[in-house]
Amino acid sequence: MYFGSIRMRIALSCCLSIFLCQSGKAFGIDAGYIDAVEADVAEFTTNEFNPPADSSWLGSADSESTKLMDLNGFSDHLQNKSPGSYIFYKKLPGEYKERLLKDYLATGDLERVKQDIFKYTREVKK
């Protein structure tokens, strides 16, 4: 993985050099952008993302995504996005709801969650 980050840096440097040579102009690059790119590249070597302090180039969580972190927010989200699946979801025991939330946070795949709701509904009825 270490070589991958070196190749990535070389590729980025080459692209920037080619652009500057072709355009004949040098543009100032925001230091925050460079810090964010370096942090992103470093993530490949360490498997940890350590964001640079005070970088305006990094995204922030919107209010919708932070609401999904708990079971109530996830239930509201499911009710809005798939009312039919929500009817079955609300009848599931808490352990299944927690599992669905965990799976959704890991994958972001609502279609898979909907399939699992029906699978768990059949399991509960047995």
Side-chain angles (χ1 to χ4, degrees), residues 9 26 29 32 56 64 70 76-77 89-90 105 108 110 115 121:
R9 287 182 184 194
I29 298 175
S56 62
E64 181 68 24
D70 69 357
D76 292 342
H77 177 69
Y89 167 82
K90 69 181 181 179
L105 291 176
L110 192 58
Q115 291 172 358
T121 299

Side-chain angles (χ1 to χ4, degrees), residues 68-76 78 85-105 113 116-117 120-121 123-124:
L68 289 176
M69 300 302 284
D70 69 357
L71 201 53
N72 290 332
F74 175 67
S75 297
D76 292 342
L78 183 63
S85 296
Y86 177 76
I87 292 170
F88 294 97
Y89 167 82
K90 69 181 181 179
K91 296 177 183 178
L92 291 173
E95 65 192 55
Y96 288 100
K97 291 178 181 178
E98 289 288 340
R99 192 181 309 168
L100 290 165
L101 171 61
K102 183 179 176 185
D103 288 346
Y104 183 70
L105 291 176
V113 168
D116 287 344
I117 288 171
Y120 296 153
T121 299
E123 285 180 18
V124 169

Side-chain angles (χ1 to χ4, degrees), residues 18 21 33-34 38 42 53 56 70 76 82 91 99 104 112:
I18 290 169
C21 290
Y33 173 75
I34 293 172
E38 286 177 349
S56 62
D70 69 357
D76 292 342
S82 183
K91 296 177 183 178
R99 192 181 309 168
Y104 183 70
R112 179 176 162 189

Side-chain angles (χ1 to χ4, degrees), residues 25-79:
K25 298 178 183 178
F27 298 98
I29 298 175
D30 185 356
Y33 173 75
I34 293 172
D35 291 341
V37 169
E38 286 177 349
D40 197 32
V41 170
E43 180 182 8
F44 288 104
T45 59
T46 63
N47 289 333
E48 287 184 24
F49 183 68
N50 298 312
D54 302 327
S55 178
S56 62
W57 283 92
L58 298 177
S60 61
D62 60 5
S63 60
E64 181 68 24
S65 63
T66 56
K67 289 178 188 173
L68 289 176
M69 300 302 284
D70 69 357
L71 201 53
N72 290 332
F74 175 67
S75 297
D76 292 342
H77 177 69
L78 183 63
Q79 186 176 15

